[in-house]
Short mmCIF file of all heavy atoms in Angstrom, two decimals:
data_model
loop_
_atom_site.label_atom_id
_atom_site.label_comp_id
_atom_site.label_asym_id
_atom_site.label_seq_id
_atom_site.Cartn_x
_atom_site.Cartn_y
_atom_site.Cartn_z
N MET A 1 0.88 -1.17 -0.01
CA MET A 1 0.01 0.02 0.00
C MET A 1 0.89 1.23 -0.01
O MET A 1 1.78 1.33 0.78
CB MET A 1 -0.85 0.00 1.26
CG MET A 1 -0.63 -1.20 2.12
SD MET A 1 -2.11 -1.60 3.04
CE MET A 1 -2.57 -3.06 2.18
N LYS A 3 3.01 1.81 -1.46
CA LYS A 3 4.40 1.52 -1.86
C LYS A 3 4.70 1.87 -3.29
O LYS A 3 5.51 2.71 -3.61
CB LYS A 3 4.67 0.01 -1.69
CG LYS A 3 4.70 -0.30 -0.26
CD LYS A 3 5.02 -1.81 -0.07
CE LYS A 3 5.14 -2.13 1.35
NZ LYS A 3 5.21 -3.55 1.55
N ALA A 4 3.89 1.32 -4.10
CA ALA A 4 4.08 1.47 -5.52
C ALA A 4 3.84 2.95 -5.92
O ALA A 4 4.52 3.51 -6.69
CB ALA A 4 3.19 0.58 -6.29
N GLU A 8 4.49 3.40 -12.67
CA GLU A 8 4.66 3.24 -14.09
C GLU A 8 5.14 4.57 -14.74
O GLU A 8 5.24 4.63 -15.95
CB GLU A 8 3.37 2.75 -14.75
CG GLU A 8 2.42 1.96 -13.85
CD GLU A 8 2.88 0.50 -13.59
OE1 GLU A 8 3.95 0.16 -14.14
OE2 GLU A 8 2.20 -0.23 -12.91
N ALA A 21 31.71 -3.75 -6.32
CA ALA A 21 30.94 -3.55 -5.09
C ALA A 21 31.81 -3.12 -3.92
O ALA A 21 31.43 -2.26 -3.17
CB ALA A 21 30.27 -4.90 -4.68
N ILE A 25 31.12 0.05 -1.59
CA ILE A 25 30.96 -0.14 -0.13
C ILE A 25 31.95 0.73 0.65
O ILE A 25 31.58 1.45 1.59
CB ILE A 25 31.11 -1.60 0.25
CG1 ILE A 25 29.92 -2.41 -0.28
CG2 ILE A 25 31.23 -1.73 1.72
CD1 ILE A 25 30.04 -3.86 -0.15
N TYR A 61 21.24 1.45 0.27
CA TYR A 61 20.40 0.39 0.78
C TYR A 61 20.62 -0.97 0.06
O TYR A 61 20.03 -1.96 0.38
CB TYR A 61 18.96 0.80 0.79
CG TYR A 61 18.66 1.88 1.78
CD1 TYR A 61 18.85 3.21 1.47
CD2 TYR A 61 18.33 1.50 3.06
CE1 TYR A 61 18.65 4.22 2.45
CE2 TYR A 61 18.11 2.51 4.04
CZ TYR A 61 18.27 3.84 3.69
OH TYR A 61 18.05 4.79 4.64
N ARG A 62 21.42 -0.87 -1.01
CA ARG A 62 21.84 -2.21 -1.60
C ARG A 62 22.81 -2.89 -0.66
O ARG A 62 22.87 -4.12 -0.66
CB ARG A 62 22.58 -2.01 -2.93
CG ARG A 62 21.65 -1.69 -4.06
CD ARG A 62 22.43 -2.02 -5.34
NE ARG A 62 22.46 -3.44 -5.67
CZ ARG A 62 21.41 -4.14 -5.89
NH1 ARG A 62 20.24 -3.63 -5.96
NH2 ARG A 62 21.57 -5.47 -6.15
N PHE A 63 23.54 -2.15 0.08
CA PHE A 63 24.66 -2.75 0.84
C PHE A 63 24.39 -2.67 2.35
O PHE A 63 24.98 -3.44 3.11
CB PHE A 63 25.94 -1.99 0.54
CG PHE A 63 26.29 -1.99 -0.87
CD1 PHE A 63 26.19 -0.80 -1.62
CD2 PHE A 63 26.66 -3.14 -1.52
CE1 PHE A 63 26.52 -0.76 -2.99
CE2 PHE A 63 26.96 -3.14 -2.89
CZ PHE A 63 26.90 -1.93 -3.61
N PHE A 64 23.50 -1.80 2.74
CA PHE A 64 23.26 -1.67 4.22
C PHE A 64 21.75 -1.69 4.46
O PHE A 64 21.02 -1.01 3.76
CB PHE A 64 23.92 -0.38 4.71
CG PHE A 64 25.35 -0.29 4.39
CD1 PHE A 64 25.87 0.36 3.24
CD2 PHE A 64 26.29 -0.92 5.24
CE1 PHE A 64 27.16 0.39 2.93
CE2 PHE A 64 27.63 -0.87 4.93
CZ PHE A 64 28.09 -0.21 3.79
N THR A 65 21.37 -2.44 5.46
CA THR A 65 20.00 -2.62 5.72
C THR A 65 19.31 -1.32 6.04
O THR A 65 18.19 -1.00 5.58
CB THR A 65 19.78 -3.56 6.89
OG1 THR A 65 20.47 -4.78 6.57
CG2 THR A 65 18.35 -3.82 7.17
N ASP A 69 22.42 0.15 10.60
CA ASP A 69 23.34 -0.89 10.09
C ASP A 69 24.59 -0.27 9.54
O ASP A 69 25.69 -0.74 9.71
CB ASP A 69 22.60 -1.74 9.06
CG ASP A 69 23.49 -2.81 8.52
OD1 ASP A 69 24.09 -3.53 9.29
OD2 ASP A 69 23.71 -2.87 7.25
N LYS A 73 28.29 -0.92 10.76
CA LYS A 73 29.34 -1.43 9.87
C LYS A 73 30.53 -0.53 9.92
O LYS A 73 31.70 -1.00 9.88
CB LYS A 73 28.79 -1.55 8.42
CG LYS A 73 27.76 -2.61 8.27
CD LYS A 73 28.33 -3.97 8.10
CE LYS A 73 27.29 -5.12 8.19
NZ LYS A 73 25.99 -4.87 7.59
N MET D 1 22.79 -6.15 9.77
CA MET D 1 22.70 -7.59 9.58
C MET D 1 21.98 -7.94 8.15
O MET D 1 21.35 -7.11 7.59
CB MET D 1 21.82 -8.21 10.63
CG MET D 1 21.80 -7.39 11.93
SD MET D 1 22.17 -8.41 13.35
CE MET D 1 23.09 -7.24 14.33
N GLY D 2 22.14 -9.16 7.95
CA GLY D 2 21.45 -9.55 6.68
C GLY D 2 22.27 -9.28 5.41
O GLY D 2 22.96 -10.11 4.96
N LYS D 3 22.14 -8.02 5.04
CA LYS D 3 22.81 -7.74 3.79
C LYS D 3 24.30 -7.73 3.83
O LYS D 3 24.90 -8.05 2.88
CB LYS D 3 22.34 -6.30 3.36
CG LYS D 3 21.05 -6.34 2.61
CD LYS D 3 20.63 -4.96 2.26
CE LYS D 3 19.47 -5.03 1.37
NZ LYS D 3 18.95 -3.70 1.08
N ALA D 4 24.88 -7.37 5.02
CA ALA D 4 26.30 -7.50 5.25
C ALA D 4 27.08 -6.56 4.38
O ALA D 4 26.55 -6.04 3.32
CB ALA D 4 26.74 -8.93 5.03
N GLY D 5 28.25 -6.37 4.75
CA GLY D 5 29.13 -5.45 3.99
C GLY D 5 29.37 -5.93 2.60
O GLY D 5 29.30 -5.13 1.67
N ALA D 6 29.71 -7.14 2.49
CA ALA D 6 29.99 -7.63 1.17
C ALA D 6 28.89 -8.61 0.75
O ALA D 6 28.29 -9.26 1.48
CB ALA D 6 31.37 -8.39 1.20
N PRO D 7 28.67 -8.62 -0.57
CA PRO D 7 27.62 -9.54 -1.08
C PRO D 7 27.99 -11.00 -0.79
O PRO D 7 28.79 -11.55 -1.58
CB PRO D 7 27.52 -9.16 -2.54
CG PRO D 7 28.81 -8.45 -2.80
CD PRO D 7 29.32 -7.92 -1.62
N LYS D 9 26.23 -13.34 -1.31
CA LYS D 9 25.24 -14.14 -2.05
C LYS D 9 25.91 -15.32 -2.83
O LYS D 9 25.47 -16.41 -2.77
CB LYS D 9 24.49 -13.26 -3.02
CG LYS D 9 23.89 -12.06 -2.27
CD LYS D 9 22.99 -11.30 -3.17
CE LYS D 9 22.46 -10.06 -2.41
NZ LYS D 9 21.63 -9.21 -3.24
N TYR D 41 -0.51 -8.15 -5.30
CA TYR D 41 0.28 -7.45 -6.28
C TYR D 41 1.35 -6.54 -5.68
O TYR D 41 2.50 -6.65 -5.98
CB TYR D 41 -0.72 -6.63 -7.19
CG TYR D 41 0.03 -5.88 -8.29
CD1 TYR D 41 0.43 -6.61 -9.40
CD2 TYR D 41 0.33 -4.53 -8.15
CE1 TYR D 41 1.16 -5.89 -10.44
CE2 TYR D 41 1.00 -3.89 -9.20
CZ TYR D 41 1.39 -4.61 -10.30
OH TYR D 41 2.05 -3.93 -11.32
N ASP D 42 0.91 -5.71 -4.78
CA ASP D 42 1.81 -4.65 -4.26
C ASP D 42 2.96 -5.27 -3.51
O ASP D 42 4.13 -4.81 -3.60
CB ASP D 42 1.09 -3.69 -3.35
CG ASP D 42 0.21 -2.68 -4.12
OD1 ASP D 42 0.56 -2.50 -5.33
OD2 ASP D 42 -0.70 -2.15 -3.58
N ASP D 43 2.72 -6.30 -2.75
CA ASP D 43 3.81 -6.96 -1.98
C ASP D 43 4.63 -7.98 -2.76
O ASP D 43 5.52 -8.52 -2.15
CB ASP D 43 3.17 -7.54 -0.69
CG ASP D 43 2.71 -6.49 0.29
OD1 ASP D 43 3.16 -5.37 0.11
OD2 ASP D 43 1.84 -6.79 1.15
N ASN D 66 6.26 -4.67 -18.00
CA ASN D 66 6.43 -4.21 -16.57
C ASN D 66 5.72 -5.18 -15.67
O ASN D 66 5.14 -6.18 -16.12
CB ASN D 66 5.93 -2.76 -16.47
CG ASN D 66 4.50 -2.63 -16.97
OD1 ASN D 66 3.76 -3.54 -16.88
ND2 ASN D 66 4.19 -1.46 -17.51
N ARG D 68 2.93 -4.91 -14.02
CA ARG D 68 1.52 -5.15 -14.33
C ARG D 68 1.31 -6.04 -15.49
O ARG D 68 0.43 -6.92 -15.47
CB ARG D 68 0.84 -3.76 -14.53
CG ARG D 68 -0.65 -3.86 -14.62
CD ARG D 68 -1.28 -2.55 -15.00
NE ARG D 68 -2.66 -2.78 -15.41
CZ ARG D 68 -2.99 -3.30 -16.58
NH1 ARG D 68 -2.11 -3.56 -17.51
NH2 ARG D 68 -4.28 -3.50 -16.84
#
Side-chain angles (χ1 to χ4, degrees):
Chain A
M1 359 210 107
K3 291 183 177 169
E8 335 282 2
I25 290 172
Y61 291 87
R62 282 202 75 68
F63 305 108
F64 304 94
T65 306
D69 179 52
K73 293 280 169 39
Chain D
M1 334 231 145
K3 275 179 173 175
K9 307 186 179 177
Y41 184 78
D42 283 339
D43 289 340
N66 52 31
R68 191 186 163 281

